[in-house]
Amino acid sequence: MVSQQQQQEYRLHELGDFLRTRRARLTPEEVGLPRGNRRKTPGLRRAEVAQLVGVSVDWYTWLEQGRSISPSTQVLERLVQALHLDVNERSHLFLLAHQQPPPALSQEPEVVSPTLQHFLDHFGYRPAFVSGRQWDILAWNDAGCAVFGDFRLKTTRERNTVWSLFVDSASRQFVVDWEEDARRILAQFRSSCGRHLGDPQLTELIHELMHYSPEFRAWWPDHEVLGAQEVKKTLNHPQVGYLVFERLTFQVLDTPDFKTTVYTPLDEADTPRKLEHLLEQWYQQEGQKPHTPKAALGLPQVQRLEQDTVALWLAECCQKVEGAWVANNTIMTSYTLWCEANRYEPKKAKGISQSLATHGLEIGVNKRVLDEHHRRKMTRGVRGIVIL
């Protein structure tokens, strides 16, 4: 059995190795230092990193050697800057050094990627939205607007989940068992606030909630905390009456401060039919056609492996364009959601690749693309199609 001391030694060894690999990939010119004449190995020297961070060479050497020292948050942040670490590397550094995630970068703009928006859009008749670190709803799908109102017409405060629940008087009629739901949301909100202590926008939001909501003012000092839960949610919609859902919230791995919430309709209270009616009204109002076939609503999952689902997906969702390129993860997301919407059993990644090759597409094509942090990375994809 691995002892606590062995775990500590392994963690510090990993930290030292990580720092060595990060400085090895940089050149002096990239960090604004002169190259010099007697450089035998690539990358920065320890003395150069120590100079950039503002610590002694001995101290930095001990850190790379896995000595039991505790770098402060300020020193780690200077290491992030000196070694040009991206957001994922920053998180890894803090987990190795402090055994906890880094402080949130509160000033970073919260931008929902096109891929994540595409993911929301293909939930079809299930309302879904993405919220950020202050619980502002940042992106949504059509079903979300059909059930919860047009998010485009709401102010930032009105799109805040906690604010709308506690301050908007209409929520007390809209949410069945309002107090139970409000207490649960408040406890989850309190848990997430622990990651963003001192965030000025969160502090302002809490002060306003304390002022405008007697319930928030009474319950906030209780310090109840709760993680995300799968719960049954009943709404009393002003147009169609009761709607019953399963509500699931999960974290977006690429952007940990983002939470995706999906409302899956249950058969109770004739929810699927009512939801279809609301969404049809929404599309009529918008002058659009539904993104998802009606067959996607309320039908059981069936196994239909004999169908060439990749060919059907290509015909409905894609267009062949010579020289075009699409990343594998984008293809997998679009294809899987299409299968789910049409109640097909999706193929595994290997089967998808084989089918794409059968249809004359070039698979396994590497391309350098910019990630969300504007850094170039090599990504594998398929050449010859675009996803509509």
Side-chain angles (χ1 to χ4, degrees):
M1 189 172 181
V2 180
S3 67
Q4 188 173 359
Q5 182 178 353
Q6 287 174 317
Q7 290 177 339
Q8 172 83 345
E9 290 173 354
Y10 178 76
R11 179 177 63 82
L12 294 174
H13 176 76
E14 284 288 298
L15 173 61
D17 279 351
F18 178 67
L19 291 171
R20 278 191 291 274
T21 60
R22 299 308 95 171
R23 70 176 170 86
R25 70 182 182 180
L26 292 172
T27 64
E29 293 87 346
E30 288 179 295
V31 297
L33 294 175
R35 168 166 286 276
N37 298 321
R38 297 184 178 181
R39 187 173 297 273
K40 297 180 180 179
T41 57
L44 298 177
R45 298 188 178 107
R46 285 174 174 168
E48 291 169 332
V49 176
Q51 176 186 342
L52 292 169
V53 176
V55 296
S56 71
V57 178
D58 286 343
W59 187 93
Y60 181 75
T61 301
W62 296 336
L63 189 63
E64 278 200 4
Q65 289 175 344
R67 302 278 189 94
S68 184
I69 56 178
S70 299
S72 67
T73 297
Q74 291 75 17
V75 168
L76 291 179
E77 293 288 17
R78 292 201 293 271
L79 277 168
V80 170
Q81 298 299 318
L83 298 175
H84 293 192
L85 303 187
D86 63 24
V87 64
N88 296 316
E89 292 167 330
R90 176 176 178 263
S91 295
H92 189 61
L93 174 67
F94 272 81
L95 286 170
L96 290 175
H98 284 177
Q99 295 182 276
Q100 63 183 23
L105 297 173
S106 301
Q107 302 307 314
E108 278 194 340
E110 295 186 307
V111 179
V112 173
S113 68
T115 300
L116 184 51
Q117 181 63 62
H118 190 244
F119 178 69
L120 293 179
D121 291 338
H122 279 73
F123 272 113
Y125 287 85
R126 282 174 288 182
F129 52 80
V130 173
S131 52
R133 54 180 170 263
Q134 279 95 35
W135 288 54
D136 295 332
I137 294 177
L138 307 172
W140 50 85
N141 63 0
D142 291 336
C145 287
V147 172
F148 295 102
D150 193 342
F151 289 107
R152 298 171 303 179
L153 304 179
K154 298 182 180 183
T155 65
T156 301
R157 271 290 181 264
E158 291 169 340
R159 287 201 303 267
N160 184 276
T161 303
V162 185
W163 177 271
S164 64
L165 186 61
F166 278 89
V167 178
D168 184 359
S169 59
S171 69
R172 298 169 190 269
Q173 286 73 46
F174 186 67
V175 178
V176 178
D177 297 324
W178 179 88
E179 181 172 337
E180 179 184 347
D181 193 69
R183 285 183 177 273
R184 182 188 301 114
I185 292 295
L186 180 61
Q188 293 171 349
F189 176 64
R190 183 108 211 188
S191 294
S192 70
C193 285
R195 274 185 48 81
H196 309 286
L197 294 175
D199 183 296
Q201 292 176 311
L202 262 179
T203 301
E204 180 183 359
L205 172 62
I206 292 168
H207 285 166
E208 291 185 13
L209 285 165
M210 293 282 282
H211 177 75
Y212 286 103
S213 170
E215 291 85 0
F216 188 96
R217 189 162 57 248
W219 301 339
W220 184 250
D222 294 341
H223 284 265
E224 295 294 335
V225 291
L226 190 66
Q229 290 183 316
E230 302 175 18
V231 297
K232 186 175 179 179
K233 176 96 168 185
T234 303
L235 304 176
N236 186 12
H237 196 278
Q239 290 177 258
V240 295
Y242 289 111
L243 299 168
V244 186
F245 299 94
E246 286 178 334
R247 182 176 66 191
L248 174 64
T249 298
F250 52 92
Q251 191 177 46
V252 180
L253 183 60
D254 290 343
T255 316
D257 286 335
F258 283 6
K259 301 175 291 296
T260 299
T261 301
V262 182
Y263 285 77
T264 300
L266 300 178
D267 290 334
E268 298 174 46
D270 201 18
T271 300
R273 185 191 62 80
K274 292 177 181 178
L275 199 52
E276 180 179 336
H277 173 69
L278 286 173
L279 199 49
E280 284 181 348
Q281 283 188 328
W282 168 259
Y283 284 127
Q284 288 174 4
Q285 175 186 325
E286 294 295 302
Q288 299 177 11
K289 292 183 179 180
H291 296 302
T292 306
K294 291 183 180 180
L297 186 62
L299 298 181
Q301 181 76 35
V302 295
Q303 305 287 332
R304 294 196 277 183
L305 294 175
E306 71 277 4
Q307 295 274 8
D308 186 352
T309 52
V310 173
L312 296 173
W313 169 75
L314 284 169
E316 185 170 331
C317 300
C318 302
Q319 180 180 345
K320 286 193 175 183
V321 176
E322 186 177 354
W325 179 92
V326 181
N328 283 346
N329 61 346
T330 303
I331 288 174
M332 180 64 76
T333 298
S334 175
Y335 167 75
T336 302
L337 290 172
W338 179 88
C339 287
E340 182 179 339
N342 290 276
R343 290 317 191 245
Y344 286 105
E345 182 69 17
K347 293 184 178 183
K348 303 294 184 183
K350 184 177 181 180
I352 297 172
S353 296
Q354 290 172 343
S355 295
L356 290 171
T358 301
H359 288 88
L361 299 169
E362 188 179 353
I363 63 174
V365 180
N366 285 324
K367 182 177 179 180
R368 288 193 179 277
V369 299
L370 292 175
D371 63 15
E372 63 272 20
H373 308 294
H374 304 289
R375 294 177 180 271
R376 289 192 172 275
K377 66 175 182 178
M378 192 69 75
T379 302
R380 190 172 292 246
V382 173
R383 180 178 289 143
I385 59 169
V386 295
I387 297 177
L388 303 176

